[in-house]
Amino acid sequence: MDSYPIIEISRNVDFEKDPSFGEFDPKVIFDLLCSIDLNFSEALEIEPFTTAKCVISFNHLKDIPQCCKESEDLHHIYLHVTRNYWSKWIYQFAHEYCHHLIKGEFTGEVTGLKWFEETVCELSSMYHLHLAVVQWHYYKSEDMFPHFYLQHQGYLQNLLNQNPELIRETNRLDFLSSWSSILNENKYHRAHYNAIAVRMFPLFVENPHLWKIILHFGDTRKWSSLDELFQHLRLKATSDYAGSLLQLQNLLCPWL
């Protein structure tokens, strides 16, 4: 495979300048990618751009984004997006950057609670698109503002309304129990992940510190049940999000 010039876009993120990405405005796109680290860092209360190193490359093998582990201190994020499709850059990178922060094992197996990690990463895309809408609302350049704002808003609304029937099912107290056989299959069920993420979305918007739970996931394949994970998360919770964690638990595991 051809090698291309590497551009450092932050202390912890490099970008491989592959022509397959097409023509795009690097200042805008790189600012969008950096904003995901900045917004995550604020929610997690960590210094920006201090996580493990990651390299962004174009995914030539599949038409989807992926995050792979090169070493303990290096992840490779493959995106499949072209040109100035701003919202899609956010959607794909926010999902994979959430995997990067969780720092699990990138085996490709959908076992244990890997389905929950995928759900949270889908939620990450929604959350960062929401912040892009809010933040671009106050953007100084009036000629760019309507384009950014409307594109991000439309993309987010599409995600929030993508699977209406499944979203309606999440209003039932036992919806996760009824989906257990599906979620425990060793394959991806992204429509279900999306629907669960939609239900979780308001809690993370209301209290961004709830994102701190991802620092305690580890390898999500090792957890035998959501009950077991929440017991672990409650032990790790700090006062700034313990109440929100309880709300999340009541939403997903009302039997606990």
Side-chain angles (χ1 to χ4, degrees):
M1 185 176 293
D2 295 332
S3 60
Y4 300 102
I6 299 294
I7 301 171
E8 182 182 274
I9 65 174
S10 71
R11 282 182 289 168
N12 63 334
V13 180
D14 288 343
F15 182 88
E16 188 177 15
K17 193 178 179 183
D18 188 327
S20 298
F21 283 115
E23 294 293 327
F24 63 87
D25 185 330
K27 182 182 187 310
V28 173
I29 297 301
F30 294 166
D31 280 352
L32 288 175
L33 299 182
C34 286
S35 73
I36 291 168
D37 182 284
L38 288 167
N39 290 327
F40 253 139
S41 296
E42 182 175 355
L44 298 173
E45 292 190 310
I46 61 176
E47 186 180 345
F49 311 121
T50 57
T51 68
K53 191 84 169 180
C54 70
V55 179
I56 300 170
S57 296
F58 188 86
N59 194 345
H60 290 275
L61 300 179
K62 296 182 179 180
D63 62 352
I64 57 172
Q66 289 180 296
C67 187
C68 303
K69 182 178 180 180
E70 300 289 343
S71 68
E72 287 300 325
D73 300 315
L74 177 64
H75 291 152
H76 213 125
I77 292 178
Y78 294 92
L79 303 181
H80 198 276
V81 58
T82 58
R83 299 196 244 178
N84 286 311
Y85 199 168
W86 308 307
S87 302
K88 195 170 183 178
W89 283 90
I90 294 175
Y91 175 78
Q92 291 195 1
F93 186 67
H95 182 113
E96 302 309 325
Y97 204 67
C98 190
H99 284 305
H100 164 74
L101 292 173
I102 290 171
K103 295 182 70 173
E105 296 297 324
F106 300 93
T107 64
E109 296 176 311
V110 191
T111 55
L113 290 186
K114 189 66 175 180
W115 67 265
F116 187 62
E117 178 176 342
E118 289 295 334
T119 297
V120 171
C121 291
E122 171 76 0
L123 174 63
S124 172
S125 294
M126 297 175 182
Y127 177 77
H128 288 284
L129 280 163
H130 161 75
L131 290 183
V133 171
V134 172
Q135 290 163 355
W136 281 108
H137 181 75
Y138 297 103
Y139 193 70
K140 303 295 185 186
S141 177
E142 294 182 3
D143 61 330
M144 293 184 71
F145 151 69
H147 305 291
F148 277 81
Y149 176 81
L150 292 174
Q151 185 181 116
H152 298 327
Q153 186 178 54
Y155 205 103
L156 174 60
Q157 287 306 310
N158 181 61
L159 289 175
L160 295 174
N161 298 288
Q162 205 169 73
N163 299 285
E165 292 185 11
L166 290 177
I167 292 170
R168 279 195 293 272
E169 288 186 37
T170 66
N171 290 314
R172 294 165 36 194
L173 289 178
D174 65 341
F175 81 93
L176 274 185
S177 298
S178 67
W179 290 358
S180 61
S181 60
I182 295 173
L183 295 174
N184 289 323
E185 291 178 350
N186 189 11
K187 62 180 182 180
Y188 293 96
H189 290 280
R190 298 201 181 278
H192 288 76
Y193 307 156
N194 168 270
I196 301 169
V198 169
R199 288 282 285 152
M200 295 165 61
F201 176 67
L203 292 177
F204 286 75
V205 171
E206 181 182 352
N207 185 1
H209 291 312
L210 187 53
W211 280 108
K212 291 181 181 179
I213 64 173
I214 67 175
L215 301 177
H216 308 296
F217 282 5
D219 181 3
T220 50
R221 296 173 308 141
K222 74 180 181 181
W223 300 106
S224 60
S225 69
L226 206 54
D227 302 11
E228 183 184 25
L229 174 61
F230 270 98
Q231 289 174 17
H232 171 72
L233 294 178
R234 288 200 305 271
L235 291 174
K236 298 291 185 179
T238 50
S239 59
D240 56 341
Y241 72 95
S244 298
L245 177 61
L246 182 59
Q247 287 180 282
L248 180 62
Q249 175 184 301
N250 290 337
L251 174 67
L252 300 176
C253 313
W255 56 85
L256 286 182

